[in-house]
Amino acid sequence: MSSALRTGTYVLVGLIALFELAVFWLMLHPNVSPDFRAYYIDKTTTCLNQPVAGTYTLGATIDFTSAGGAIAKPIRVCGWEGPVGDGNHAVGTSSRLRFVYTEPAVPAVLKLSMQAVKKDGQPTQRVELVFNGVLIDTVTVSADPPQNFAVAIPPGLAAAANGRVELELRFPDSVRMGDNDPDNRRRSIKLLSAALLPA
């Protein structure tokens, strides 16, 4: 083998090794969004953020049963299945809604109509309500009948919302309906309706 050919071979092998090292480094340190990292890598959430518009008229009640499916669709960020006749079923350990509005008023009350899923030995579900990253209340939902909740939004949080609310519903008591269900298939509540009422 000539000296030039030998040198070329070494250079090629070196370049391949550098490429493989670079790929390995990117596998260990991927440059991804926080939502992608939380869902796929760290697995700290079962709710993968979707780019929904969240278009909403402040004060309107959104129907999450099959009758209001088209209106509810741009509000549902992640963690929902349906709609069906009895509402949108939450799946996973949390679900999110997005409200984007142009009205000058601020939201003062969050209204939700919910019903817990039925599972032997667990007649209720706790739901933590997180408004733009801040826990504002925890409510307990029973299986029958559907319940209506009206939760006051702290004035400072409401004013800071500035026309955009990310509402996360966390389900600390979510259950596996089947023994082999993964975390992103856990069940907790059915959402029938939601509204942000202005001050």
Side-chain angles (χ1 to χ4, degrees):
M1 180 183 291
S2 71
S3 176
L5 185 57
R6 186 180 301 115
T7 302
T9 302
Y10 288 146
V11 169
L12 180 61
V13 169
L15 288 173
I16 291 171
L18 283 174
F19 175 77
E20 289 180 353
L21 283 173
V23 169
F24 184 69
W25 188 89
L26 287 173
M27 286 172 51
L28 293 177
H29 308 289
N31 183 18
V32 295
S33 71
D35 288 325
F36 184 97
R37 178 176 293 281
Y39 186 83
Y40 287 108
I41 299 172
D42 301 335
K43 299 192 183 300
T44 53
T45 184
T46 59
C47 192
L48 180 61
N49 183 43
Q50 299 297 313
V52 297
T55 306
Y56 177 69
T57 300
L58 199 60
T61 298
I62 303 295
D63 181 359
F64 283 89
T65 68
S66 51
I71 297 170
K73 189 173 182 179
I75 306 294
R76 299 180 309 158
V77 178
C78 58
W80 301 105
E81 199 170 74
V84 293
D86 59 354
N88 267 240
H89 294 239
V91 291
T93 56
S94 67
S95 298
R96 288 170 51 193
L97 300 172
R98 177 172 297 140
F99 301 90
V100 178
Y101 50 90
T102 57
E103 292 78 10
V106 296
V109 175
L110 168 66
K111 288 186 71 176
L112 298 170
S113 178
M114 299 180 283
Q115 183 175 12
V117 297
K118 294 179 183 178
K119 181 159 171 115
D120 292 343
Q122 190 158 344
T124 63
Q125 285 282 330
R126 285 177 297 154
V127 179
E128 298 173 349
L129 305 174
V130 181
F131 184 97
N132 284 349
V134 178
L135 178 66
I136 59 171
D137 204 352
T138 301
V139 298
T140 300
V141 185
S142 61
D144 285 307
Q147 294 171 274
N148 297 316
F149 298 91
V151 177
I153 299 166
L157 275 180
N162 199 25
R164 184 183 178 98
V165 173
E166 297 285 334
L167 179 67
E168 182 181 11
L169 287 73
R170 296 177 184 161
F171 313 113
D173 304 322
S174 59
V175 295
R176 287 183 171 90
M177 301 304 280
D179 293 338
N180 297 320
D181 286 354
D183 274 351
N184 63 357
R185 301 301 303 162
R186 294 175 77 97
R187 299 294 181 159
S188 50
I189 60 109
K190 293 175 279 188
L191 178 65
L192 283 77
S193 68
L196 287 175
L197 304 184

